[in-house]
């Protein structure tokens, strides 16, 4: 990725993007070398630092380019130039010639080439763009084609203006509500350990009562039909009798099926009640982790900042590549463009792969950092003797020992994500053109790759935790984590099902609280169109903030469970093999102890543990 950026800078792509270049391949603001086969190339533009388009409104929407002749000029016209005499006066007074280089400024009004090689009249007033040195018209009405879809969707410009005005008038309230959403997310991570037990048992009770109610209703309908439906069917015609008999068999089959499902569900709830209690205990310990390690709450900010910096770098390098390569004259317009040809054209594709890979790498670094800090917390018996900065220690271990592990895990996700993105692109491009079978096949492949990506993400996350525990390589850690996950499949299913639901309720709680506060604060603006868009922005931001923070909480819960599974696998609570776990987790280890602990003091200690 660094080499691609360096290549685009060395070959002049960065300079052409920032300083601009004319339609003859000359970079503005510097002396240029002649280009073979292209006239008017190799000019000295040291004093001409701005790019001026003769017809800035000639836009190719499909190719996203201005199809106008571009020149390097020393000054952008700040006032409207309505005639060729005005062009001549502007050139004489300011030394900035706005027609093609081969035309003399004092001859503009009488030259026959003025209609094709001078700007389209009237020339609108313009000013240079900061940094990128392009003369941009002050009146951007000619760019309305780009906003045509938005205007068509809104239907009335007044509505659009009112929405924008509402956002501008409520910007202080929007910022305040976004800060409120961040604060609520951070508070929820600490207090969720106190409300998780209530939420979990309410959810369990609702599932049991709901399934019982559904089964009871089906039995009531079946018995009612048996008692009162037979009298009606007895007087019906033979075909109706046969049809009614089939309906009765189907109803009976459905009722018995649901009844069997109800029994299985009740038995599962009965046998998994300790695992439900383990989920509650894990949430309680996770809350303690955030109290002991408050810097974990800053992880979403750090990760978002890293992603933002990388995405900015990636987009800038992509723009550099767009102006890199060899000069090529467009046969249709005659303008000179810079394009990557031959093997160099694959640099853009490699750059796109790098976007996915490094994004996954940054997210994996967050997971490894959190895992390292939680592992340090879990396997420190005396919590008062924790390192001063467990987060910083985890980051240093990551940088020194585990960057390869993280890179390999991110690459595996990239190998699955890129084919899925390609299939999604093909599906969108072929929408309405492919037959039903091809559409179904594409959607099936996309769904399968999505499921595989989610499974690999979960395995990678546990592999990073295993690496933090044992300091082993990625493949060894992934194997160890997989074995532990298989051994604790029922526990994991319970934790994921109940835990995900509790965290989802947490997200809904934050969005609802923020939206309620937003309605109260924005209610002073009586026109709904003025506060509808600000409220939507606040709700979206609050959901994203809650998702980012609670995803860190979810990582902490998963790492705690893996530590718990390793702890119970290699320790039995006897002297010399004491557990590392918090007291809140002790209720989940009874079923993991050996059948007999032996006699004497050791056996007594084992039984007590």
């Amino acid at each position: 990725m660094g080499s691609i950026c360096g290549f685009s800078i060395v070959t002049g792509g960065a300079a052409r993007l920032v300083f601009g270049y004319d339609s003859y391949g000359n970079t503005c603001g510097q002396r240029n070398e002649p280009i073979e086969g292209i006239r008017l190339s190799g000019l000295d533009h040291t004093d001409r630092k701005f790019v001026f388009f003769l017809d800035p409104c000639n836009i190719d929407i499909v190719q996203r380019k201005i199809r106008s002749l571009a020149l390097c000029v020393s000054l952008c016209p700040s006032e409207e130039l309505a005639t060729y005499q005005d062009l001549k006066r502007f050139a004489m007074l300011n030394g900035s010639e706005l027609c093609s280089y081969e035309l003399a400024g004092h001859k503009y009004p009488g030259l026959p080439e003025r209609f094709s090689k001078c700007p389209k009249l009237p020339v609108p007033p313009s000013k240079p763009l900061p940094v990128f040195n392009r003369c941009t018209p002050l009146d951007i009405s000619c760019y309305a084609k780009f906003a045509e879809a938005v205007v068509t969707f809104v239907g009335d410009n007044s509505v659009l203006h009112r929405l924008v005005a509402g956002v501008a008038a409520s910007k202080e309230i929007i910022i305040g509500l976004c800060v409120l959403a961040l604060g609520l997310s951070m508070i929820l991570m600490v207090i969720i350990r106190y409300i998780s037990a209530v939420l979990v048992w309410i959810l369990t009770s609702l599932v049991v009562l709901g399934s019982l109610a559904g089964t009871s209703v089906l039995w009531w309908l079946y018995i009612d039909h048996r008692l009162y439906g037979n009298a009606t069917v007895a007087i019906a015609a033979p075909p109706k009798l046969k049809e009614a008999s089939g309906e009765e068999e189907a109803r009976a089959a459905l009722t018995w099926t649901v009844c069997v499902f109800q029994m299985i569900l009740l038995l599962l709830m009965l046998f998994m009640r300790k695992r439900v209690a383990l989920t509650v205990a894990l949430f309680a310990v996770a809350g303690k982790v955030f109290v002991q390690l408050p810097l974990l709450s800053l992880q979403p900010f750090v990760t978002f900042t890293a992603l933002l910096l990388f995405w900015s770098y990636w987009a800038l390098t992509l723009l550099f590549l767009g102006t890199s390569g060899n000069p090529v004259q467009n046969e249709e317009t005659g303008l000179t463009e810079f394009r990557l040809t031959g093997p160099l054209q694959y640099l853009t594709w490699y750059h796109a792969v790098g976007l996915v890979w490094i994004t996954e790498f940054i997210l994996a670094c967050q997971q490894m950092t959190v895992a390292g800090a939680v592992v340090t917390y879990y396997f420190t018996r005396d919590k008062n003797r924790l390192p001063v900065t467990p987060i910083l220690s985890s980051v240093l271990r990551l940088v020194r020992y585990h960057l390869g592990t993280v890179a390999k895990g991110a690459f595996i996700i990239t190998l699955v994500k890129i084919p899925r993105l390609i299939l999604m692109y093909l599906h969108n491009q072929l929408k309405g053109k492919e037959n039903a079978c091809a559409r179904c096949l594409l959607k099936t492949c996309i769904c399968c790759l999505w499921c595989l990506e989610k499974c690999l993400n979960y395995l990678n996350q546990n592999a990073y935790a295993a690496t933090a525990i044992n300091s082993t390589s990625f493949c060894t850690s992934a194997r160890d984590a997989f074995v532990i996950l298989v051994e604790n499949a029922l526990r994991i299913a319970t934790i994921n099902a109940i835990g995900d639901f509790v965290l989802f309720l947490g997200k809904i709680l934050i969005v609802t609280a923020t939206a309620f506060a937003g309605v109260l604060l924005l209610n002073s603006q009586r026109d709904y169109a003025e506060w509808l868009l600000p409220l939507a922005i606040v709700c979206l931001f609050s959901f994203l903030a809650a998702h980012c923070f609670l995803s860190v909480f979810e990582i902490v819960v998963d790492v705690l469970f893996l530590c718990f599974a390793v702890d119970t696998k290699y320790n039995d609570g006897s002297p010399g093999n004491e557990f590392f776990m918090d007291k809140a987790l002790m209720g989940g280890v009874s079923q993991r102890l050996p059948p007999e602990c032996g006699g004497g003091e050791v056996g007594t200690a084992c039984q007590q543990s």
Side-chain angles (χ1 to χ4, degrees), residues 445-465:
C445 293
I446 293 171
C447 182
C448 291
L449 287 173
W450 181 84
C451 294
L452 177 60
E453 181 183 335
K454 292 299 179 183
C455 294
L456 289 175
N457 261 321
Y458 186 73
L459 180 59
N460 279 1
Q461 180 178 308
N462 285 277
Y464 300 146

Side-chain angles (χ1 to χ4, degrees), residues 5 32 40-41 68 78 215 227 229 286 290 301 327 334 363 383 463 478 544:
C5 183
N32 297 277
L40 298 180
S41 63
S68 165
S78 58
T215 306
L227 293 177
F290 279 96
F301 294 109
L363 294 174
K383 306 306 181 188
L544 293 176

Side-chain angles (χ1 to χ4, degrees), residues 4 10 30 41 47 77 117 124 127 134 158 161 246 273 285 303 318 326 330 357 380 394 423 446 451 486 515 585:
I4 291 175
V10 170
Q30 65 184 40
S41 63
D47 297 327
K117 297 186 178 181
K127 65 177 181 179
R134 268 73 169 179
S158 62
H161 294 157
R273 65 187 187 279
V285 177
T303 303
L318 184 65
N326 301 317
N330 192 310
W357 189 359
T380 301
S394 180
L423 290 178
I446 293 171
C451 294
V486 171
L585 294 172

Side-chain angles (χ1 to χ4, degrees), residues 165-167 169-170 173 521-531 534:
V167 174
S170 309
I173 297 177
L521 293 174
L522 295 169
N523 193 39
S524 58
Q525 303 176 14
R526 297 299 177 184
D527 188 352
Y528 78 93
E530 294 182 3
W531 58 265

Side-chain angles (χ1 to χ4, degrees), residues 63-122:
Q63 297 294 329
R64 297 176 296 280
K65 292 182 179 180
I66 298 177
R67 299 171 60 87
S68 165
L69 185 70
L71 302 173
C72 293
V73 298
S74 57
L75 187 67
C76 299
S78 58
E79 299 178 356
E80 182 178 292
L81 306 177
T83 64
Y84 291 105
Q85 194 66 35
D86 292 340
L87 288 177
K88 172 185 174 182
R89 184 171 59 254
F90 181 79
M92 294 296 99
L93 291 177
N94 302 294
S96 182
E97 298 177 345
L98 303 183
C99 295
S100 188
Y101 304 131
E102 68 267 28
L103 304 183
H106 63 280
K107 297 181 179 179
Y108 284 168
L111 293 175
E113 298 95 338
R114 66 183 184 275
F115 299 106
S116 60
K117 297 186 178 181
C118 285
K120 183 179 179 181
L121 299 177

Side-chain angles (χ1 to χ4, degrees), residues 35-221:
I35 301 175
E36 184 179 355
I38 299 178
R39 66 184 188 89
L40 298 180
S41 63
L43 300 180
D44 184 1
H45 285 331
T46 307
D47 297 327
R48 298 174 176 178
K49 299 182 179 180
F50 305 105
V51 180
F52 176 76
F53 296 97
L54 270 57
D55 185 8
C57 294
N58 185 8
I59 300 170
D60 185 351
I61 297 179
V62 177
Q63 297 294 329
R64 297 176 296 280
K65 292 182 179 180
I66 298 177
R67 299 171 60 87
S68 165
L69 185 70
L71 302 173
C72 293
V73 298
S74 57
L75 187 67
C76 299
S78 58
E79 299 178 356
E80 182 178 292
L81 306 177
T83 64
Y84 291 105
Q85 194 66 35
D86 292 340
L87 288 177
K88 172 185 174 182
R89 184 171 59 254
F90 181 79
M92 294 296 99
L93 291 177
N94 302 294
S96 182
E97 298 177 345
L98 303 183
C99 295
S100 188
Y101 304 131
E102 68 267 28
L103 304 183
H106 63 280
K107 297 181 179 179
Y108 284 168
L111 293 175
E113 298 95 338
R114 66 183 184 275
F115 299 106
S116 60
K117 297 186 178 181
C118 285
K120 183 179 179 181
L121 299 177
V123 178
S126 60
K127 65 177 181 179
L129 274 177
V131 181
F132 291 103
N133 301 316
R134 268 73 169 179
C135 294
T136 308
L138 297 177
D139 181 12
I140 59 173
S141 59
C142 65
Y143 300 137
K145 291 181 179 179
F146 287 101
E148 185 176 346
V150 177
V151 174
T152 303
F153 173 74
V154 175
D156 182 8
N157 281 336
S158 62
V159 177
L160 178 62
H161 294 157
R162 284 157 59 196
L163 290 174
V164 175
V167 174
S170 309
K171 57 182 181 296
E172 293 86 1
I173 297 177
I174 293 175
I175 294 174
L177 290 172
C178 290
V179 173
L180 174 64
L182 291 174
L184 290 176
S185 301
M186 297 175 69
I187 293 172
L188 182 63
M189 289 194 300
V190 177
I191 67 172
I192 198 171
R193 61 171 169 159
Y194 300 111
I195 62 176
S196 59
V198 178
L199 292 177
V200 167
W201 292 119
I202 288 177
L203 170 63
T204 305
S205 302
L206 288 177
V207 170
V208 173
L209 293 176
S211 58
L212 285 174
T215 306
S216 302
V217 169
L218 281 176
W219 275 109
W220 176 74
L221 292 175

